[in-house]
Amino acid sequence: MKHNIDLLLTNAIVLTMDENYTKFEPGGLAIDGDSILAVAPDKELINDYQANETIDCQGKVLMPGLVNAHTHVSMTLLRGLADDLRLDVWLLGYMMPVERRFVSPDFVRLGALLGCAEMIRSGVTCFADMYYFEEQVAKATAEVGMRALCAQTVLKFPAPDADAFEESLGAAREFIQRWKGHPLIEPAIGPHAPYTCTEEILRATVELALEFDVPIHTHLAETALEVENSRQEHDMPVIPYAKKQNLFDAKVLAAHCVHIDDGEIHTLLHHGAGVAHNPSSNLKLASGTAPVKKMLDTGLNVGIGTDGPASNNDLDLFEEMRLAAFLAKNATGDPTSLPAPIALAMATRLGAQALHFGHLIGSLEPGKRADLILVNINNWHNIPHYRRDENSIYAQLVYAAKSTDVTDVMVNGQWLMRDHRLLTLEEQGLAEQAHDYARRIDAFLIEREQSVLSKLLAIGGATEGESFEVQVKARIPDPKLVLTALEKPEIEILYSRHYHEYDSYFIFDGSEQGSLRYREDEYIDEDGNISNIRYRLTLIGQQRERHYPNDVLLSRSRYLAPAVHSLRFYREYFKPTHEIFVEKDRLRWRVLYKGTEFYINLDRLDQPNLGYFVEVKSRTWSRRDAEHKAEVSTDLILFLGATPEDIIVEEYPALVPPTS
Amino acid sequence: MKHNIDLLLTNAIVLTMDENYTKFEPGGLAIDGDSILAVAPDKELINDYQANETIDCQGKVLMPGLVNAHTHVSMTLLRGLADDLRLDVWLLGYMMPVERRFVSPDFVRLGALLGCAEMIRSGVTCFADMYYFEEQVAKATAEVGMRALCAQTVLKFPAPDADAFEESLGAAREFIQRWKGHPLIEPAIGPHAPYTCTEEILRATVELALEFDVPIHTHLAETALEVENSRQEHDMPVIPYAKKQNLFDAKVLAAHCVHIDDGEIHTLLHHGAGVAHNPSSNLKLASGTAPVKKMLDTGLNVGIGTDGPASNNDLDLFEEMRLAAFLAKNATGDPTSLPAPIALAMATRLGAQALHFGHLIGSLEPGKRADLILVNINNWHNIPHYRRDENSIYAQLVYAAKSTDVTDVMVNGQWLMRDHRLLTLEEQGLAEQAHDYARRIDAFLIEREQSVLSKLLAIGGATEGESFEVQVKARIPDPKLVLTALEKPEIEILYSRHYHEYDSYFIFDGSEQGSLRYREDEYIDEDGNISNIRYRLTLIGQQRERHYPNDVLLSRSRYLAPAVHSLRFYREYFKPTHEIFVEKDRLRWRVLYKGTEFYINLDRLDQPNLGYFVEVKSRTWSRRDAEHKAEVSTDLILFLGATPEDIIVEEYPALVPPTS
């Protein structure tokens, strides 16, 4: 007596990807509703089942759908926005400013639809996501019929969907309550990373995850810098720190884990955490090479992710499988490392287990959901076929097959693609909407990049504000002239300081841009020791408001900000036409002279070696005040020992001789 | 007055890939005959030219065809034959035995046609090849209409197409004479590598290359082992050694260059040598990471190659471009290294220059040949489009585009593919012929792998031959018993030896296989020093011919061979079910006893610690002689102090306790 079922797939090379790597050829699947009833050789299936529909797979490979273990699918809309940049410039200079401005529910939905279309086409049936407005990702994915772990991002900074983390946390709770139990979507919470969260946030997300028994999806140990900072701030690397915040009490999916040691691998194993390895992203951002072979040998569930398409730049898991195998060989110096069957297991069974979906998907086994793909292995790049080695078929899929060889995709018993045709997604209009976003974002960035000031403001690098300053400067043959003058009764010294200053000036084409000065200021105490260091960024307007007699200048628009990033960051972000470096020793006094407050700088230029200069400066608020101070400044600088002929108008960079 | 020409391509995003990375959008090309007349914005073209045919490129990218700078195209037929193996096992255990048996003119032609089909589909218009029967590659390529540098292989070993190198050299001369001046094929000579050639061969190939002004295509510094061996044998690394043989007097295309230092890079630059970087192959075989950024910064022409599809496993230059960019970022720890425009230049202009074809192809410039492709950048994985950054279009091609996005291919003014359809290649039948080769090669290897002996013979590891040996062995409580007996007048000692032996036994499932012993034999001289070390491989038949009274054994079929490869090689090649290790100290005497010659071994088993054994052995050639010697052996072993109860039949591995 035959069982009556919905669907029979026959005449395939079936790779079950179960723990024994069972294969059937020719073989197939018996599917009823959303689930697999049987996987077996054709003869057995035909003998046991009567199906409403029988599909001849024509010798294609029938295997579990691929699991993309880590992505930010809506960033598909930011693909190609900025490439070949360092992580900080890319993230802080481009991604975050654009996200702050453009990421909306509409953006997230459109990006998710585009990403789902791309993933279905390349054989992905399930993905682990983390983004803002994650509700929209869940909705779009469920509509399209794909499976996903959807994590609502929580972090300590204001986000496109929340001004404070309490808001994201509340949104996450509601999101989880709405979606928990959905047949395709597993809601989750996504504390972005230990370094972008506080201990309070981490602990709160763990509590929420435990309350609803949902996974935590997070980034751990992506870069060496992250680990170094964790050691400095917390006296321990990233995994122990996360453990200390109880993170691993929840079901964790940890993306990257590039910089972790043996002990940390065992911590992850002990707590059943899954890992998402992201080969392309780690290579493209030069984050390093994750110890994947060691993680696998230890028994960790390591899946493969594409990461977001803004750092990849696509969602192609065939590429990632191949790269995972290649990288492990390169890293261990052993070409037998991470052979093809393991790479394919990472993209299927191990990935599903890393998402804590191992009971549902990841292999073709009775009782699991019918998430599967058909792959044509008869294209030009994939012939001939060798079959002597039982692993040849896996090598064929990992080393030669392309995502475009995937012809058919089913999720939860529903076809999403037949013969390259998407069935559940209205493609029309999506591309045009995406191009429209790109045009608007391009315009936003182009406008921003027209001036150094707006680029500076875009990274939160300055508060806009104006100040007027009267300034006069002179070469001085001997510093003792100034020191002697300062002892005279005409001058009252309010306070004095000693600095050693390293100034990098970024010079831009087009004088209207002004120049940007990155200053490292060493405070020298009375014993001659460095007591503090301050980093400051100053945008110096090239235009002078007025030029008073005796070369007294009125300058305007100096935007000051603490320099929170490195010189290297600013260099790569602002891309100056050229750079000028000045090192000087500065004695600085605040004085009263003729009833007016002035700053006096006595500078010794060490690099280049240009001798001594004296500067007299005074802040001012009105033109009249400025005219008055201009006059007194001139008196003062002459009083300090300068002669009228010594007065110069140039800023220091203009005095530096050009280098070859 | 408009010029009359053959073809106008318009409405494209034209990436000329010239030295200034000139772009036109919308723009196109004016083509007459085999050459480019003009590359310009549409308006200009339409104004200046009257074409017999005008093709609207519909906003696709129009760029130079890709140059695959290193491959062995006919190895397409060996794709997937053996994967996830070390270079030596892969090469010596699989590739070379199969090549010796199957590579013929027919094989080379078929492989070349298949490979050309795959390359055209993925946008490659020109490739640099090196193989046997290169005449066939040249013929097939010219028929298909692709461009190639075809190098006839020369090496010191017998090759599929030559028993000795003089033969290959003669064939190369004739090949060059026949093809020199062909519009599509540049003949060349391919000394395989310094370590597979002699100095005489290298110098002879240089002379030939200079005589006909053709390039030399070779492998240089692919692995660290190659460099180490070069240092040991020649006291210098690979590039200086090649230079010493005058190699760089010719126009050289050097594949790999993974392990070269700054000085060697400058040597290559000084002599105008081109380099072919092979990212996938180097990763898959774990050869290391070539210093590509340094080579490029120094000014070398570095192209990108796929290497043969047996080690890649495909001919996809889009994959290789992306990998080249990724690897350089990873190797330097700097994601700004090798940005997308440079990666694309490597696959076009720089590759052409590496092949010494820079005057002909590599960029879209007036006067160059019309070798070009159209790429559709509107597929799902490649939207949206950002254009703020002038490099975005390159990033789109390198990081997101796929080879399957190539829609049209032209070489030398002739279309080879229009809208994904191959025009110059009769695809019918090729696949079936390829599958037929694969089936035959599979059968050959399956037969070979049925026995350890045939696998041993396949790698030239043994000469087949039989020997019969009578053997009796006994535990002995005290070695002094034997030493004392040897001093008695009944025994005449012919000579004595002292060894320390490290034996690794490979054990296989199925007792009929016998076991394979890898022995490291240290000769200990009279002063107790190691005077020599010998490595031997012995196939020990498990079957005993006869078992005489008193546990005297007659054994047969011990195939002996010097072990020229490492233990690790044999382990990976033979894949034993398990391994047993025995370390022993052996005193060995050749003696006369009762008029018969015997070998006596007094063994102290150190690992595992099993105490002392004495063995009496004698070679024999007839059953009668064996019966006689069996009797005398028993006498002798008892004479040496053993008791009948101490006699055992097991080989040492059988005495080793199993480990967990």
Side-chain angles (χ1 to χ4, degrees):
Chain A
M1 176 66 190
K2 291 185 179 188
H3 295 271
N4 231 309
I5 58 164
D6 289 336
L7 180 64
L8 211 51
L9 302 178
T10 62
N11 192 24
I13 302 171
V14 183
L15 305 181
T16 66
M17 298 312 291
D18 66 12
E19 299 227 336
N20 302 317
Y21 294 86
T22 310
K23 288 183 288 191
F24 301 104
E25 182 185 3
L29 284 183
I31 295 168
D32 204 44
D34 59 9
S35 294
I36 297 168
L37 278 190
V39 48
D42 277 355
K43 262 199 279 188
E44 223 172 278
L45 290 175
I46 292 162
N47 199 50
D48 293 355
Y49 296 96
Q50 178 71 45
N52 296 336
E53 188 186 8
T54 298
I55 293 175
D56 180 333
C57 298
Q58 300 177 299
K60 289 176 186 169
V61 166
L62 168 57
M63 56 172 280
L66 302 181
V67 177
N68 183 349
H70 178 65
T71 189
H72 313 284
V73 67
S74 300
M75 292 181 88
T76 301
L77 281 177
L78 303 180
R79 182 206 321 270
L81 170 65
D83 291 291
D84 298 320
L85 299 173
R86 275 187 213 261
L87 181 60
D88 52 4
V89 178
W90 177 80
L91 189 68
L92 305 170
Y94 292 91
M95 290 301 136
M96 286 176 57
V98 166
E99 285 182 332
R100 275 196 296 268
R101 179 79 158 70
F102 288 94
V103 169
S104 65
D106 177 71
F107 178 102
V108 172
R109 177 182 167 77
L110 179 62
L113 288 173
L114 282 172
C116 285
E118 185 183 347
M119 283 195 280
I120 295 170
R121 288 194 168 280
S122 54
V124 173
T125 55
C126 174
F127 62 98
D129 195 69
M130 179 204 295
Y131 209 54
Y132 312 107
F133 300 111
E134 191 67 25
E135 174 83 20
Q136 297 300 324
V137 177
K139 258 188 179 164
T141 306
E143 278 173 35
V144 169
M146 281 183 81
R147 193 180 300 282
L149 176 76
C150 293
Q152 167 65 36
T153 300
V154 183
L155 75 179
K156 67 184 174 189
F157 309 118
D161 59 353
D163 288 331
F165 89 88
E166 292 88 347
E167 225 175 291
S168 331
L169 212 61
R173 168 180 291 273
E174 287 169 29
F175 169 64
I176 291 168
Q177 284 173 323
R178 263 195 303 280
W179 288 90
K180 185 72 190 166
H182 190 279
L184 291 172
I185 305 298
E186 173 79 347
I189 183 154
H192 175 269
Y195 68 97
T196 51
C197 292
T198 61
E199 300 194 355
E200 183 190 359
I201 296 176
L202 289 174
R203 286 168 184 268
T205 59
V206 171
E207 278 165 30
L208 193 64
L210 291 176
E211 181 182 344
F212 291 99
D213 186 31
V214 296
I216 280 184
H217 184 186
T218 188
H219 300 99
L220 293 181
E222 181 172 1
T223 66
L225 182 67
E226 178 187 346
V227 177
E228 195 186 310
N229 289 343
S230 179
R231 284 188 189 278
Q232 281 190 7
E233 285 175 38
H234 312 301
D235 277 328
M236 59 186 97
V238 177
I239 304 295
Y241 172 73
K243 185 182 166 174
K244 200 176 154 205
Q245 312 315 324
N246 304 329
L247 196 77
F248 300 113
D249 290 358
K251 298 182 290 190
V252 167
L253 168 60
H256 300 299
C257 297
V258 175
H259 299 276
I260 62 175
D261 64 20
D262 290 10
E264 293 176 279
I265 290 174
H266 277 98
T267 300
L268 293 173
L269 181 72
H270 177 73
H271 291 90
V275 171
H277 171 46
N278 300 272
S280 283
S281 171
N282 294 342
L283 283 171
K284 186 155 180 276
L285 296 168
S287 307
T289 307
V292 172
K293 183 173 162 27
K294 195 168 276 177
M295 291 196 253
L296 290 168
D297 288 349
T298 308
L300 268 186
N301 290 320
V302 186
I304 305 179
T306 57
D307 209 346
S311 63
N312 182 311
N313 293 350
D314 57 22
L315 294 161
D316 187 331
L317 220 63
F318 276 83
E319 249 182 70
E320 302 301 326
M321 277 198 286
R322 183 161 39 243
L323 261 184
F326 280 178
L327 282 189
K329 295 173 195 309
N330 194 47
T332 60
D334 177 0
T336 69
S337 291
L338 223 168
I342 309 290
L344 203 65
M346 290 173 76
T348 54
R349 189 182 70 250
L350 294 174
Q353 288 167 2
L355 268 64
H356 307 276
F357 285 2
H359 56 297
L360 278 182
I361 56 162
S363 58
L364 301 180
E365 294 182 80
K368 286 200 175 178
R369 299 293 176 273
D371 288 17
L372 57 89
I373 61 175
L374 290 174
V375 186
N376 179 3
I377 51 168
N378 282 300
N379 289 315
W380 284 108
H381 52 268
N382 222 335
I383 55 173
H385 304 161
Y386 284 93
R387 290 293 173 263
R388 170 193 58 85
D389 186 325
E390 59 182 1
N391 291 334
S392 294
I393 183 73
Y394 301 102
Q396 209 176 334
L397 287 164
V398 172
Y399 299 127
K402 297 181 193 303
S403 60
T404 48
D405 298 334
V406 175
T407 59
D408 299 81
V409 175
M410 174 182 279
V411 175
N412 216 41
Q414 184 193 11
W415 288 114
L416 306 189
M417 182 167 82
R418 290 302 316 274
D419 196 19
H420 297 286
R421 203 162 45 85
L422 296 185
L423 302 179
T424 57
L425 199 79
E426 191 54 73
E427 307 186 46
Q428 209 118 37
L430 290 185
E432 197 32 62
Q433 287 175 56
H435 288 313
D436 187 53
Y437 264 109
R439 275 189 291 270
R440 282 156 56 201
I441 293 171
D442 261 350
F444 164 72
L445 287 175
I446 287 166
E447 196 194 329
R448 183 190 88 171
E449 301 208 339
Q450 276 171 348
S451 85
V452 174
L453 173 59
S454 54
K455 279 194 83 166
L456 186 58
L457 294 173
I459 52 169
T463 38
E464 201 158 351
E466 291 186 311
S467 77
F468 290 81
E469 214 174 49
V470 167
Q471 176 187 320
V472 60
K473 172 155 68 175
R475 289 178 188 275
I476 191 114
D478 187 344
K480 283 187 198 132
L481 292 170
V482 177
L483 297 173
T484 308
L486 281 167
E487 285 174 12
K488 292 185 182 164
E490 288 85 345
I491 289 181
E492 180 186 347
I493 295 178
L494 301 174
Y495 66 72
S496 68
R497 293 274 187 279
H498 181 189
Y499 304 96
H500 199 79
E501 298 178 333
Y502 306 84
D503 294 344
S504 293
Y505 291 86
F506 293 170
I507 313 295
F508 300 92
D509 271 349
S511 60
E512 74 287 349
Q513 295 285 354
S515 64
L516 198 64
R517 184 181 68 204
Y518 176 91
R519 167 169 291 175
E520 187 178 337
D521 236 346
E522 292 175 354
Y523 290 65
I524 312 294
D525 68 15
E526 286 166 10
D527 303 327
N529 298 320
I530 299 168
S531 67
N532 191 16
I533 303 178
R534 187 173 60 169
Y535 300 90
R536 277 199 305 174
L537 204 61
T538 307
L539 179 62
I540 301 165
Q542 202 71 357
Q543 301 296 331
R544 301 298 178 177
E545 282 298 300
R546 280 196 67 176
H547 194 153
Y548 295 99
N550 295 319
D551 286 333
V552 177
L553 302 170
L554 177 65
S555 70
R556 191 174 83 146
S557 299
R558 301 172 126 246
Y559 291 82
L560 273 148
V564 294
H565 307 303
S566 67
L567 174 60
R568 197 264 315 143
F569 170 89
Y570 294 114
R571 179 181 295 137
E572 293 182 11
Y573 177 65
F574 286 103
K575 298 195 184 82
T577 318
H578 66 284
E579 252 179 89
I580 294 169
F581 180 73
V582 173
E583 180 187 339
K584 63 175 178 291
D585 204 72
R586 166 169 285 181
L587 294 171
R588 182 178 178 85
W589 295 270
R590 192 162 160 215
V591 303
L592 266 178
Y593 177 74
K594 294 190 177 172
T596 302
E597 264 189 33
F598 289 96
Y599 290 93
I600 299 172
N601 295 328
L602 175 58
D603 294 345
R604 183 190 74 226
L605 267 75
D606 293 342
Q607 190 176 320
N609 185 348
L610 293 176
Y612 287 89
F613 293 83
V614 62
E615 285 188 327
V616 169
K617 294 186 177 197
S618 186
R619 297 233 172 89
T620 181
W621 292 268
S622 79
R623 184 150 297 183
R624 259 185 78 149
D625 179 59
E627 282 179 21
H628 165 70
K629 283 183 175 159
E631 231 171 286
V632 187
S633 304
T634 311
D635 290 355
L636 178 52
I637 206 159
L638 297 175
F639 179 82
L640 290 170
T643 64
E645 304 78 57
D646 288 334
I647 292 177
I648 55 171
V649 299
E650 292 88 358
E651 295 257 359
Y652 288 132
L655 303 177
V656 175
T659 53
S660 63
Chain B
M1 175 68 190
K2 290 187 180 186
H3 295 271
N4 232 309
I5 57 164
D6 289 336
L7 180 64
L8 211 51
L9 301 178
T10 63
N11 192 23
I13 302 171
V14 183
L15 306 180
T16 66
M17 297 312 293
D18 65 13
E19 300 228 334
N20 302 317
Y21 294 86
T22 310
K23 288 183 288 190
F24 301 104
E25 181 184 3
L29 284 183
I31 296 168
D32 203 45
D34 58 9
S35 295
I36 298 168
L37 277 191
V39 48
D42 276 354
K43 263 199 276 187
E44 226 171 277
L45 290 175
I46 292 162
N47 200 50
D48 293 354
Y49 296 96
Q50 178 72 46
N52 296 337
E53 189 186 7
T54 298
I55 293 176
D56 180 333
C57 299
Q58 300 176 300
K60 289 179 185 167
V61 166
L62 169 57
M63 55 173 280
L66 303 180
V67 177
N68 183 349
H70 178 64
T71 189
H72 313 283
V73 66
S74 300
M75 293 182 88
T76 301
L77 281 177
L78 302 180
R79 183 206 317 272
L81 169 66
D83 291 291
D84 297 321
L85 299 173
R86 274 185 214 263
L87 181 60
D88 53 3
V89 178
W90 177 80
L91 190 67
L92 304 171
Y94 291 91
M95 290 301 137
M96 285 175 58
V98 166
E99 285 181 332
R100 275 196 294 268
R101 180 78 156 71
F102 287 94
V103 170
S104 64
D106 177 72
F107 177 103
V108 172
R109 177 181 167 78
L110 178 62
L113 288 173
L114 283 171
C116 284
E118 184 182 346
M119 284 195 280
I120 295 170
R121 286 194 169 279
S122 55
V124 173
T125 54
C126 173
F127 62 99
D129 196 67
M130 180 205 293
Y131 208 53
Y132 312 107
F133 300 111
E134 191 67 24
E135 174 82 21
Q136 298 298 324
V137 177
K139 258 188 180 163
T141 306
E143 277 173 36
V144 168
M146 282 182 80
R147 193 180 300 282
L149 176 75
C150 293
Q152 167 67 35
T153 302
V154 183
L155 75 178
K156 68 184 174 188
F157 309 118
D161 59 353
D163 288 329
F165 89 88
E166 292 88 348
E167 226 175 290
S168 331
L169 213 61
R173 168 180 291 273
E174 287 170 28
F175 169 66
I176 291 167
Q177 284 173 322
R178 262 195 303 279
W179 288 90
K180 186 70 191 168
H182 190 279
L184 292 171
I185 305 299
E186 172 80 345
I189 182 155
H192 176 268
Y195 66 98
T196 51
C197 292
T198 61
E199 301 194 354
E200 183 191 359
I201 296 176
L202 290 174
R203 286 168 185 268
T205 59
V206 172
E207 278 165 30
L208 194 63
L210 292 176
E211 182 182 343
F212 292 99
D213 186 30
V214 296
I216 279 185
H217 185 185
T218 188
H219 300 98
L220 292 181
E222 181 172 1
T223 66
L225 182 67
E226 178 187 345
V227 177
E228 196 187 309
N229 288 343
S230 179
R231 284 188 190 278
Q232 282 191 4
E233 284 174 39
H234 312 301
D235 278 329
M236 60 186 96
V238 177
I239 304 295
Y241 172 74
K243 185 182 167 179
K244 201 176 152 205
Q245 311 316 321
N246 304 329
L247 197 76
F248 300 113
D249 290 358
K251 298 182 291 189
V252 167
L253 168 61
H256 301 298
C257 297
V258 175
H259 300 275
I260 62 174
D261 64 20
D262 289 11
E264 293 175 280
I265 291 174
H266 277 98
T267 300
L268 293 172
L269 181 71
H270 178 72
H271 290 90
V275 172
H277 172 44
N278 300 271
S280 285
S281 171
N282 293 343
L283 283 171
K284 185 154 179 275
L285 296 168
S287 307
T289 307
V292 172
K293 184 174 162 24
K294 196 169 276 176
M295 290 196 256
L296 289 168
D297 288 350
T298 308
L300 267 186
N301 290 320
V302 186
I304 305 180
T306 57
D307 209 347
S311 63
N312 182 313
N313 295 351
D314 57 22
L315 293 161
D316 188 331
L317 219 65
F318 276 84
E319 248 183 71
E320 302 302 325
M321 276 198 287
R322 183 159 42 239
L323 263 183
F326 281 179
L327 282 188
K329 295 172 195 310
N330 194 47
T332 59
D334 177 359
T336 68
S337 291
L338 222 168
I342 308 291
L344 203 64
M346 291 174 75
T348 53
R349 188 182 71 249
L350 295 173
Q353 287 167 1
L355 268 64
H356 307 276
F357 285 3
H359 55 298
L360 278 182
I361 56 162
S363 59
L364 301 180
E365 294 181 80
K368 285 201 177 179
R369 298 294 174 272
D371 288 17
L372 56 89
I373 62 176
L374 290 174
V375 186
N376 179 2
I377 52 168
N378 282 301
N379 289 315
W380 286 108
H381 52 268
N382 222 335
I383 54 173
H385 304 161
Y386 284 92
R387 290 292 173 263
R388 169 194 58 86
D389 185 325
E390 59 182 0
N391 292 333
S392 294
I393 184 71
Y394 301 102
Q396 209 175 332
L397 287 165
V398 171
Y399 298 129
K402 297 180 194 302
S403 59
T404 49
D405 298 334
V406 175
T407 59
D408 300 80
V409 175
M410 174 182 279
V411 175
N412 217 40
Q414 182 191 14
W415 288 112
L416 306 189
M417 183 167 82
R418 290 302 316 273
D419 196 21
H420 297 286
R421 204 162 46 84
L422 296 186
L423 302 179
T424 58
L425 199 80
E426 192 54 73
E427 306 186 46
Q428 208 119 36
L430 290 185
E432 197 32 63
Q433 288 175 55
H435 288 314
D436 188 52
Y437 264 110
R439 276 190 290 270
R440 282 155 55 200
I441 293 170
D442 262 350
F444 164 72
L445 287 175
I446 288 166
E447 196 194 328
R448 184 189 87 171
E449 300 207 340
Q450 276 172 348
S451 86
V452 173
L453 174 58
S454 56
K455 280 193 83 168
L456 186 58
L457 293 173
I459 53 168
T463 39
E464 202 160 350
E466 292 186 311
S467 76
F468 290 82
E469 214 175 48
V470 168
Q471 176 186 323
V472 61
K473 173 156 65 176
R475 288 178 188 276
I476 192 115
D478 187 343
K480 281 186 202 138
L481 292 169
V482 176
L483 297 173
T484 309
L486 281 168
E487 287 175 11
K488 292 185 183 167
E490 288 87 343
I491 290 182
E492 181 188 345
I493 297 179
L494 300 174
Y495 66 72
S496 68
R497 294 271 188 280
H498 182 189
Y499 304 96
H500 199 79
E501 297 178 332
Y502 305 85
D503 293 344
S504 293
Y505 291 85
F506 292 172
I507 314 295
F508 300 92
D509 272 349
S511 60
E512 74 287 347
Q513 294 284 355
S515 63
L516 198 64
R517 186 181 67 204
Y518 176 90
R519 170 169 290 175
E520 187 177 338
D521 237 346
E522 293 176 350
Y523 291 64
I524 313 293
D525 67 17
E526 285 164 11
D527 304 327
N529 298 319
I530 299 168
S531 66
N532 191 16
I533 304 177
R534 187 175 60 172
Y535 300 90
R536 277 197 306 171
L537 204 61
T538 308
L539 179 62
I540 301 165
Q542 201 72 0
Q543 302 295 330
R544 300 300 177 176
E545 282 298 298
R546 279 196 68 178
H547 193 154
Y548 295 97
N550 295 320
D551 286 334
V552 178
L553 303 170
L554 177 65
S555 69
R556 193 175 79 148
S557 299
R558 302 171 124 246
Y559 291 82
L560 274 147
V564 293
H565 307 303
S566 66
L567 173 60
R568 197 264 314 143
F569 172 89
Y570 293 115
R571 179 182 294 136
E572 294 181 12
Y573 177 65
F574 286 103
K575 297 196 184 82
T577 317
H578 66 284
E579 253 179 87
I580 295 170
F581 180 72
V582 174
E583 180 187 340
K584 62 177 178 293
D585 203 72
R586 166 169 285 181
L587 295 171
R588 180 178 179 85
W589 295 271
R590 194 163 159 216
V591 301
L592 267 178
Y593 176 74
K594 293 190 177 173
T596 303
E597 264 190 35
F598 288 97
Y599 290 92
I600 298 170
N601 295 329
L602 175 60
D603 293 346
R604 184 189 73 226
L605 267 76
D606 293 342
Q607 190 175 321
N609 185 351
L610 294 175
Y612 286 88
F613 293 82
V614 61
E615 283 188 329
V616 170
K617 296 186 176 194
S618 186
R619 299 232 172 88
T620 180
W621 291 270
S622 78
R623 184 150 294 181
R624 260 184 79 149
D625 179 60
E627 283 181 17
H628 166 70
K629 283 183 173 160
E631 230 172 285
V632 187
S633 303
T634 312
D635 289 355
L636 176 53
I637 207 161
L638 297 174
F639 178 83
L640 291 170
T643 63
E645 304 80 56
D646 288 336
I647 292 177
I648 56 168
V649 298
E650 291 87 357
E651 295 257 0
Y652 289 131
L655 303 176
V656 174
T659 53
S660 63

